[in-house]
Each structure stands twice: as C-alpha cells, then as structure tokens.
Amino acid sequence: MKAVCWMGKSKVETLTVADPQLLNPHDAIIKITRTAICGSDLHLYDGFIPTMESGDILGHEFMGVIEEVGKEVTNLRRGDRVVVPFTIACGSCLFCKKKIWAACDNSNPNAHLMEAAYGYSGSGLFGYSHMMGGYAGGQAQYARVPFANVGPLKINSDLPDEKVLFLSDIFPTGYMAAENAQIQPGDTVAVWGCGPVGQFAIASAFMLGAARVIAIDRLPERLEMARSLGAITVDYSEEDVSVLTALKDLTGGIGPDACIDAVGLEAHSAQLQGTYDKIKVALLMETDRPSVLRQAIQAVRKGGTLSVPGVYGGLLDKVPFGAAFGKGITMKMGQTNMHNYMKPLLERIEKGQIDPSYIISHRITLEQAPEMYKVWRDKKENVTKIVIDPWAETAA
Amino acid sequence: MSSALTEKPYAEELPTTGAAGMILNGRYLPPPEDKDGKIWVRTSALVQASPEDLYTIWRNVEQAPAWQEQITRVVKTGERTSHWVMETDGKTIEWDSEVLADEPGKRIAWRSTGGDSDNAGEVVFEEASGGRGTMVTVLQEFRMGKLASAWETFVGRNPKQAVIENLRHFKALAEAGEIPRTQGQPHGDRGLIGKTKASTYGEKIPNAIRLELICDRSHPVPGT
C-alpha cells in the first residue's frame, strides 16, 4: 500500500510499504477512505516530539471500511463504515472503566518510554511517536486498528465522509476543550488559536452556553471563520493590539471566565518572548514554546478555568505559576477522551446542528502530502484543513 | 557474553517481611540493593480481576510463554516443579524451577533448582481498596553481575525491565485479553540509526510473545 512516512525532521515521503495485517485478536484492518493532516502532526514534522523513527507511518485522523476483523471482534464486520478515534483504549483497565480513555493502561506497547518521561504512560496513539505506542498511522491506504471492539464508531447513515471524518480527533478535542472550560451560562470564553481545534472549541463553547467567545489568531481566513461562528476576534499581530488589554476591555476589566489554549507547544508570538523561546528551544534549554500558555494564565479571571487542548510535550520555561496560584484558577488538559464524545457528537451532526466539513480548505492525494505538510506548516495558500483521499490518483 | 544466568543455583530464603518486602511495621521499604552478584527488581500493577483468577493464571506455568518475553516453552514436571526454556540473544537457555510457597489466591514463591538460570521470586496478590481490583506485586532476583545486566540491556532486554514488562503483559492479558504489540506492522525504511536501536522499541523485541497461546478472555486458562 501507499503511506505517508516520517523520514526525519521536516522530511515526509509517500512510500510503498507492506499492507498491515491482523496481529492481535481484537484488531481490525480498515481500508481508509478519508484521512487528514492534523495541526499536531506539525509537532512531529518540526521534530518536537521525541522517539520518532525514520519510516514511521504518520496520521491519526482517519476513517474507512472494515476489511477484516480479528477473532475477538464481534461488533464489527467486513463492509462496516467506521470512524477511528486517535487514542487507542482497551476498555477494560481501571482508567477505561473511569472513562478516562486517553489514560488507558493496556494500549501502549512502549509504556516504559513514556513512564521514563511522564511518570506514567497514557494510551497508545496512531502515528504519534514510539513513546506513544509506535502504532503505524492512518495517512495510508490501510491501517490496523487495535481494540477495534472498543474504539471505532460505526456510521450507519449515508452522511458523506467529510462530515464525519473529524470525529476521529479534532471535533471531540475541541468539544472536550469547551467541556473542560466548565462553562456556565453567560460566560465569556477566550480561545487562542483559530485552527481546526480552536474552531470546534468556539462552536462547542457556544453549544455549552457561552454568551461570548473571543477568538485570538493572526491569520485573516481563520479569524473570518471564527467570526462566522459568532466569535469576536482579536488579531494579536496587529500593531497596538495587546491581547491582555483586549480581553480586559471586552470583559469589563475582570477577564474571561475561561481561557482555552488551542495552540500548544509551537506558539508564535509577536512579542520579544517569541524570540526568547525560539533561542531557548534551539539551545535545548526548553522543549516547548509556551507563550500562549503564559498569556492565558495571565488573562483568565480570578477563580476562572484554563483548558488546554493544545499539545505540550516536555519542559516549559517561565510559566507564571504564581499568577495561577494567586488567582486560584483551575487548569484542565490532556489528550482527548475520545470515546466519550464520538457518539453524542455524531448525533449532533446527524441532527444538522453542525457540519464539521466547513473547515476543509484542501483536498489532496497521498502523493501530494509531502508538499502539503510544508504548506500546512508555513500557513500558505489560506490553508485551514487538509483532507486526503488515499485512493485518488489526481487532486480533487 | 552474558554468562550470569549460568551460575550455580541460589538457595537462600527470600525476604519474609510481608508483601514482597514492601512494608514492615508500617514503614515503606525500598527494594533490596543490587550487590554481591545479585540484582533485584520489584514491580507492581493494579489489575481489574480477582486475586483468585490472577493466581490461577500465574500458577498455570505452561501458559507463561503467552505473556513472558522470550520464554518459549514451559513443561510441568511435577506438582510443584517445571522446566523452562528461554531464547535470549540468539541462544537457548534452560532451567528447572520449583514452587517454594503456594498460597492459592494470595502468593506464589519460586526458585530455580538447576540449569542455565539462577533466579528466585515471589508474586503477591492483594485485593485493592474500593473495588479497584487486585494489587499484584512481584519481587524477583537474579544472580547476575551489573556488567552482565548492562550487556543484556544493550543486546536485548534488560532483565529487570523484562520482569517489569512481563507484569505489564500479564495485566494486559488478564484485563484486555491481549497484549498490545506492534511487531509485524508496516513501516518505511528505518535507516541506519533506526535499525540499530534494537532494545528501545517494542516493535523489535525478539520473540516477545507467543501469540498463538493467547486465548480469549472468557477462558484465560485452558485446562483449568
């Protein structure tokens, strides 16, 4: 089959590799019909996530048709249409029982690597480093899905792939971010980053009762999209704009009730601290660039909530923890507990409450993926979301 | 070449300070120190199953190749004795083992009695609080120098890590009915550096698990 492989920092190639096979009794093989490139794939592309190896198949947002199931998979059969969650969960351990699926004990074959870095291991993820399981990803024509009895969401309706594909990660991730923001009726919520996760966080914040959402970014097409959802936008790159002042101005001086960092470890900053972080990362003195996190901690109101769906990987410098303590804020974060959200969010799509496909800007073939990683990283061509048809020969 | 597993059998008593020597009179005790040519490892896991069921799976030694890395065959030779075959670093080693203590649903202790490996260990099953399953604690020792241990780390699996990983496999098998794996999945060219990292990633651990021995969850122990 053809697959998009990570071949080193800033180096992605579409290669012909072996087809996946059933390896365990709860596995399924799916023929992928649509797959996408995630913002978090850029952290791999840019070399921020350790334990990637040359040859790793990328991709964790995919859906398709069941080709073959292992002998213990009784809920799916060949021909079923499914969306696959990016976190892999066994469904049986203490954490799965508590519905903290992203903390599954039994799905990471390389748990010891993550234990060394984080104390304990989270669940395995598709196509997201060996530390996080080393599973081959879904930017390919086929994929092996472990614990297929637990994860994949069956799509029984004839909704097109593009409307349900983002149930694999970014829609539930944006929704959990809004849920983690503990929104009360009338709240003002500030969202940093108007990429796909930020978009779904904005839409979900409104669904959960936010009165006002303030969206922060610098790319005109993304800010436009946020306004189309009803958010007030702040362009942090504009001269004379201070995000902290803007958020005070828009909240009667008290600050947003909740802040959502939908940017994560590769934040850009118009301020001097952006340069500071780039230098420190280059000198291996920190691993992540936390300028959004710093600002969100600073901005959130007293007793407010900070929700972090943006990915962080390692060690952060100069995080204003005193401000977090001083204001008594709550911080909620982590990989998405996908399995809690896929079904209810599918119902919202089926009822026509949201059509997640509105964020798609590019439809491409597997062969185009390497060049599109570069476009995605550099935010060229007004890119907002790239979807791959792994069977297409020519671009749509 | 690692020859630590070929020394004479070890015959001292194991520590008797309660559950795998972890708590004595309310005080936490660290695992024994590596010295005098012996290395120790202690590890624990919280497993969603009853102590009785877990005891049964563990005690069924012929099933061990389903969850113990590099163990290729175990044959029961008596009520309390068994013969073990392991493939490590491209060679086969064999030893005999006997059960020293057998408390159904609670504890098993064993030691090797002859052959190429000199090891002893115990496993303790304790019901966790609040319906949280069973705390399984393993304490194991090998007669093996630090240098030999380091060599094993380099060429394959560090023996201490193997005990930790085996308990992880045991837990996964008991809870989820399978052990997560990536050996045999597709990938692009690993390149020169990727090919040399034999010990780092599960994808390359040789002969990790005998897949055909993994049975379905409703019947974890064939023949019992």
Side-chain angles (χ1 to χ4, degrees), chain A residues 33-54:
Chain A
T33 53
R34 281 295 185 282
T35 173
I37 306 177
C38 181
S40 65
D41 286 330
L42 292 176
H43 306 323
L44 307 174
Y45 188 64
D46 293 340
F48 276 86
I49 305 288
T51 71
M52 287 298 289
E53 283 301 328
S54 173

Side-chain angles (χ1 to χ4, degrees), chain A residues 138-153:
Chain A
Q139 285 163 15
Q141 291 178 313
Y142 293 93
R144 163 195 169 230
V145 179
F147 294 115
N149 54 321
V150 179
L153 174 73

Side-chain angles (χ1 to χ4, degrees), chain B residues 121-143:
Chain B
E122 77 172 321
V123 57
V124 179
F125 307 95
E126 293 169 298
E127 200 173 323
S129 59
R132 286 181 187 144
T134 299
M135 288 218 318
V136 182
T137 308
V138 178
L139 175 64
Q140 188 153 349
E141 60 157 296
F142 302 91
R143 185 169 285 279

Side-chain angles (χ1 to χ4, degrees), chain B residues 96 118 135 185 206:
Chain B
D96 293 308
D118 187 358
M135 288 218 318
Q185 72 175 4

Side-chain angles (χ1 to χ4, degrees), chain A residues 257-306:
Chain A
D257 302 285
C259 290
I260 297 176
D261 170 1
V263 175
L265 67 88
E266 289 186 71
H268 297 272
S269 171
Q271 296 168 311
L272 193 59
Q273 60 168 316
T275 313
Y276 170 86
D277 283 321
K278 279 190 178 164
I279 292 168
K280 287 211 78 162
V281 167
L283 293 175
L284 304 178
M285 291 168 76
E286 67 175 341
T287 61
D288 302 15
R289 302 198 304 251
S291 55
V292 164
L293 186 70
R294 291 184 193 121
Q295 199 167 61
I297 291 174
Q298 205 74 24
V300 69
R301 74 155 162 82
K302 293 177 279 186
T305 303
L306 173 59

Side-chain angles (χ1 to χ4, degrees), chain A residues 1 5-7 15-27 51-57 71-72 90-94 97-98 105-113 115 121 130-131 133-136 144 146-147 149, chain B residues 46-49 69 131-133 157 161 164-165 168-169 171-195 197 199-205 209 211 214-218:
Chain A
M1 67 166 183
C5 295
W6 188 93
M7 302 304 286
L15 301 175
T16 299
V17 301
D19 288 347
Q21 296 180 345
L22 295 172
L23 298 175
N24 258 343
H26 298 91
D27 284 356
T51 71
M52 287 298 289
E53 283 301 328
S54 173
D56 285 347
I57 299 174
K71 64 185 169 68
E72 295 292 323
C90 78
S92 320
C93 67
L94 182 74
K97 281 183 175 176
K98 285 178 179 288
D105 259 348
N106 292 325
S107 58
N108 184 351
N110 300 321
H112 69 284
L113 294 177
E115 281 176 354
S121 172
H130 288 265
M131 179 170 95
Y135 288 102
R144 163 195 169 230
F147 294 115
N149 54 321
Chain B
L46 184 65
V47 186
Q48 303 303 297
E69 290 181 0
R132 286 181 187 144
R157 190 65 113 176
Q161 193 63 32
I164 293 166
E165 295 304 324
R168 211 193 300 278
H169 299 328
K171 169 184 157 76
L173 186 58
E175 288 185 338
E178 67 176 50
I179 294 158
R181 57 182 277 143
T182 48
Q183 297 102 323
Q185 72 175 4
H187 55 76
D189 184 15
R190 286 301 187 201
L192 199 59
I193 296 167
K195 281 173 188 154
K197 287 186 184 168
S199 65
T200 315
Y201 304 139
E203 195 177 277
K204 293 177 209 150
I205 288 160
I209 298 296
L211 189 63
I214 293 181
C215 39
D216 77 86
R217 191 183 341 194
S218 51

